[in-house]
Amino acid sequence: MSKSRPRFELFRRHVCQTSDAPLGLEVVRAAGSWVYTADGQAYLDFLAGICVNNVGHAHPAVVAAVQAQAEKYLHAMVYGEYVLEPQVEYAARLAEVAPGDLSVVYFTNSGTEANEGALKLAKKYTGRRRLVAFEGGYHGDTHGSLSVTGREVYRRPFEPLLPEVAFLPFDCLKALKAIDETVAGVIVEPIQGEGGIRVPSDDFLPALRRRCDQVGALLILDEVQTGFGRTGKLFACEHWGVVPDVLVLAKALGGGMPLGAFLSRPEIMCTLREDPPLSHVTTFGGHPVCCAAGLASLQVILEESLPARAAKLGSLLQAELEKMGRELGGVREVRGKGLHLGLELTHADLTARFVQHALKQGIIVGWTLHSDMVVRLAPPLTLTEEELEQGLTRLRAALTAALSDHAPPKLLQNFFKNA
Ligand code: PMP
């Protein structure tokens, strides 16, 4: 692990620490599936910034788009006032590829801001106040998104949050009855990411869609992690043929630059234009450089058929990880879709040790926020077959080492202490 001083000391002292156990790699360069650190190590990145770098790090097409746009103009005016070519072109392209008739895009800077906008939109469009979300869901850390995040330990220190949010168990058809005519919007991840890569049963999302239609609540699908080919389809909702009223995107949307968005139908989105006008604006949302990067990245995803590639490599990786589990032990389940995989180990210490040993073996994997048993695997969708093989060799070595190491794990040891 790269912890060269004094930069690591400065990082610990001056960059706000969000845990006692940062991974602490000192990055000097990243390209494709690789992250290079100050101590001369090369790490195979099986996390991709948590589903951000779907086209790999610093894809040449994305870098070129950033450079070209930076030479034209950077920020020109707050959102929605000027006609900015990269913003308009990207919105139009997203409208073409989005499911159903979600043809209007509102760009933000991040996923949590996109969810804030989506929740406000549901309230304003329906004139209702109540929101429904799911246990184990994650939607971001600003007040509104945190209010619908299904893990009490993260909400409690910041209460009071939004009133009138009901949490239902994920993937439970019976619970959907609780969604009634008083509900403005229902927010859900099609596959829970931070909840431990939980894929719902096939009838869950279609039933949720039907229930929202029956009661007139907007269905908000948070595809911040699952979007842009990650799960084997361009958007995960395509696995179930479900079209949401609002689609929320971020992470891979910007091709490595900060960008979020929520998309909906014109008759819904027009409510942000009136009573009062300018009721939802942002200074930097839809930054021209970020939109140029995102459009270039989407082009790569489509031209190189990366969703299909994710599906193919994902089933291979899943099968190999299952085999590894059978041979070495310590694995309870491998689950997910495409290259959005969770490896559930048999206990939390083993999971922490596995992540630690993976780093020692030169492969970056992570955990999920709501589950201390699940290792998250989300490599770039551009991963080559050789890199997949190398990754598996490293993961095998990491599991072997983790199984024979009985020392208390150093990494992440405090992470879930209070969770
Ligand atoms: N929704 C989901 C499903 C996420 O995974 C995340 C980030 N992990 C967010 C929203 C928040 O996105 P951001 O960190 O860009 O605010």
Side-chain angles (χ1 to χ4, degrees), residues 90-168:
Y90 199 16
R93 193 74 187 102
L94 285 170
E96 278 170 6
V97 299
D101 43 3
L102 307 176
S103 63
V104 183
V105 183
Y106 191 113
F107 286 114
T108 65
N109 300 284
S110 65
T112 195
E113 279 174 85
N115 278 324
E116 296 287 340
L119 297 174
K120 281 177 72 180
L121 180 67
K123 289 165 84 172
K124 195 145 187 302
Y125 178 69
T126 60
R128 304 173 184 175
R129 291 287 165 266
R130 290 191 59 227
L131 298 166
V132 168
F134 291 88
E135 288 160 13
Y138 180 83
H139 301 290
D141 275 352
T142 52
H143 274 82
S145 302
L146 183 59
S147 301
V148 291
T149 283
R151 188 85 188 289
E152 213 198 335
V153 68
Y154 291 112
R155 293 197 310 271
R156 205 181 302 125
F158 304 101
E159 285 171 345
L161 293 168
L162 283 181
E164 303 191 64
V165 178
F167 288 97
L168 305 182

Side-chain angles (χ1 to χ4, degrees), residues 110-112 115 138-140 189 194 222 224-225 251:
S110 65
T112 195
N115 278 324
Y138 180 83
H139 301 290
E189 295 161 86
E194 300 307 327
D222 179 340
V224 168
Q225 284 197 25
K251 293 196 185 270

